[in-house]
Amino acid sequence: KEIKHDDINFNFSLDFSIYPSEEYFTPSTVIPLKTSTTCYYQQCTFCAHYADVPYLEYPIENISKTVEKSGKKYFFLIDDMIPVKRVLELSKIINGKWGSQLRPTKEFTKEALQKLHDNGLTFVLWGVESGCQKTLDRIKKGTKVEDIETVLTNASEVGIKNVTYIMFGFLGESEEDFVETIEFIKRNKIDLVSTSTFGLQKGTPVYNNYKDYGITSIEEKERTVLEPKISYTMKNVPDIKKLKKKYPIHNKYPKSLNFFREHMFFMN
């Protein structure tokens, strides 16, 4: 059944009073805000987050009530990504400092980034994924390397901290492609890099059309509690672990920070 906006009751706001700051592991509580049902872009071939979920935006007035009721000063928008127009609207109702996850498209002009920073935006976790255009096109990220670089530069110049998600080992990526991303990281205004290695997930466009990406076979191994472990066979796959050792990233943050990444720029 198709879910329509009118079928869902959005008439609510959340109460975060149960978050006592003195029992939290940061000086002040960071309130997580989800402003929509899922990702609005819904085209990245490696992603399963948006599978069978319609994109619906929660009313601004209800988000505003949640912010007000929280009585807090630090917020993190946990949406996978938010359109420029929408995030500009949200920035006007967040009375404090905040961070977000965004896709680095050219719509994030220096003027737009300045407005966001003026309205409290402190840092962005950018869904960059790769500094190689060939890989970006295979992912269907909908971004251009030159536009990403401009966004990162402009964000840094207006005072926003840049954290980039980088994914190595996407299907068909060569050592030369890997190095392109390493060089991209070196030459750009990036404060921290969050790296991952591609893993095949059920329900993604890649999984559903795996032969189109050069995969010859898929194997699923049952696990006691978790979903089955998925492995695949593919020719001429570079050893990502060896490449990471060969081309180290010096501004990479440790995996342990993933447990409280939304807090890292509010801790000083």
Side-chain angles (χ1 to χ4, degrees):
K1 178 183 177 181
E2 181 182 357
I3 301 175
K4 298 180 180 179
H5 194 279
D6 292 341
D7 294 335
I8 301 176
N9 179 15
F10 290 104
N11 188 27
F12 66 89
S13 59
L14 301 179
D15 183 0
F16 287 93
S17 62
I18 60 173
Y19 280 49
S21 296
E22 62 272 13
E23 295 181 11
Y24 224 44
F25 52 79
T26 59
S28 296
T29 303
V30 179
I31 298 298
L33 294 175
K34 187 167 178 61
T35 73
S36 60
T37 54
T38 186
C39 168
Y40 79 93
Y41 179 63
Q42 301 199 359
Q43 293 186 52
C44 294
T45 57
F46 65 87
C47 185
H49 290 180
Y50 59 84
D52 301 320
V53 181
Y55 173 70
L56 302 172
E57 296 175 346
Y58 303 141
I60 292 287
E61 56 268 28
N62 292 345
I63 300 169
S64 180
K65 290 178 184 177
T66 296
V67 170
E68 184 178 355
K69 285 170 64 176
S70 75
K72 304 301 180 181
K73 296 181 179 180
Y74 303 100
F75 303 88
F76 183 69
L77 307 187
I78 64 175
D79 306 71
D80 287 329
M81 60 179 69
I82 308 172
V84 178
K85 181 180 178 182
R86 172 77 168 174
V87 77
L88 282 167
E89 292 174 349
L90 290 166
S91 73
K92 297 175 184 178
I93 60 141
I94 301 176
N95 185 24
K97 292 185 177 182
W98 56 285
S100 185
Q101 301 183 126
L102 301 171
R103 189 167 59 109
T105 57
K106 62 183 179 181
E107 286 80 12
F108 282 97
T109 62
K110 191 169 187 177
E111 179 184 8
L113 291 166
Q114 184 66 66
K115 288 180 179 177
L116 292 172
H117 183 258
D118 291 345
N119 289 337
L121 179 59
T122 302
F123 70 98
V124 175
L125 293 129
W126 296 104
V128 172
E129 316 307 350
S130 176
C132 171
Q133 192 60 54
K134 185 185 83 173
T135 301
L136 290 175
D137 292 343
R138 285 177 66 82
I139 292 173
K140 293 188 179 180
K141 193 68 186 181
T143 53
K144 298 293 183 183
V145 172
E146 56 267 29
D147 294 336
I148 298 171
E149 294 188 324
T150 299
V151 170
L152 292 174
T153 297
N154 288 339
S156 179
E157 288 180 354
V158 304
I160 297 170
K161 298 294 184 181
N162 290 321
V163 184
T164 59
Y165 289 129
I166 297 292
M167 180 179 65
F168 291 114
F170 187 71
L171 306 175
E173 183 178 70
S174 64
E175 181 171 350
E176 291 74 20
D177 301 333
F178 186 102
V179 171
E180 273 194 53
T181 296
I182 296 296
E183 294 302 316
F184 168 92
I185 293 170
K186 289 180 180 179
R187 69 175 179 264
N188 280 287
K189 302 287 186 178
I190 301 172
D191 296 282
L192 288 172
V193 181
S194 174
T195 64
S196 64
T197 300
F198 169 77
L200 189 61
Q201 296 186 59
K202 207 164 188 175
T204 62
V206 169
Y207 182 94
N208 296 335
N209 304 280
Y210 67 90
K211 290 184 179 179
D212 295 342
Y213 292 86
I215 294 176
T216 54
S217 63
I218 293 176
E219 180 181 346
E220 295 187 21
K221 185 177 181 180
E222 291 294 329
R223 293 188 283 188
T224 304
V225 178
L226 300 175
E227 290 290 317
K229 181 179 180 181
I230 299 174
S231 59
Y232 60 90
T233 303
M234 186 176 182
K235 295 180 180 178
N236 303 319
V237 179
D239 190 324
I240 299 301
K241 288 184 178 180
K242 288 184 178 180
L243 290 179
K244 284 184 176 181
K245 291 181 179 179
K246 186 177 179 180
Y247 306 102
I249 298 172
H250 299 293
N251 57 340
K252 183 174 70 172
Y253 72 77
K255 288 182 179 180
S256 58
L257 276 179
N258 283 320
F259 294 109
F260 52 97
R261 62 190 177 192
E262 62 268 29
H263 300 77
M264 66 180 120
F265 286 112
F266 299 134
M267 295 179 72
N268 52 19

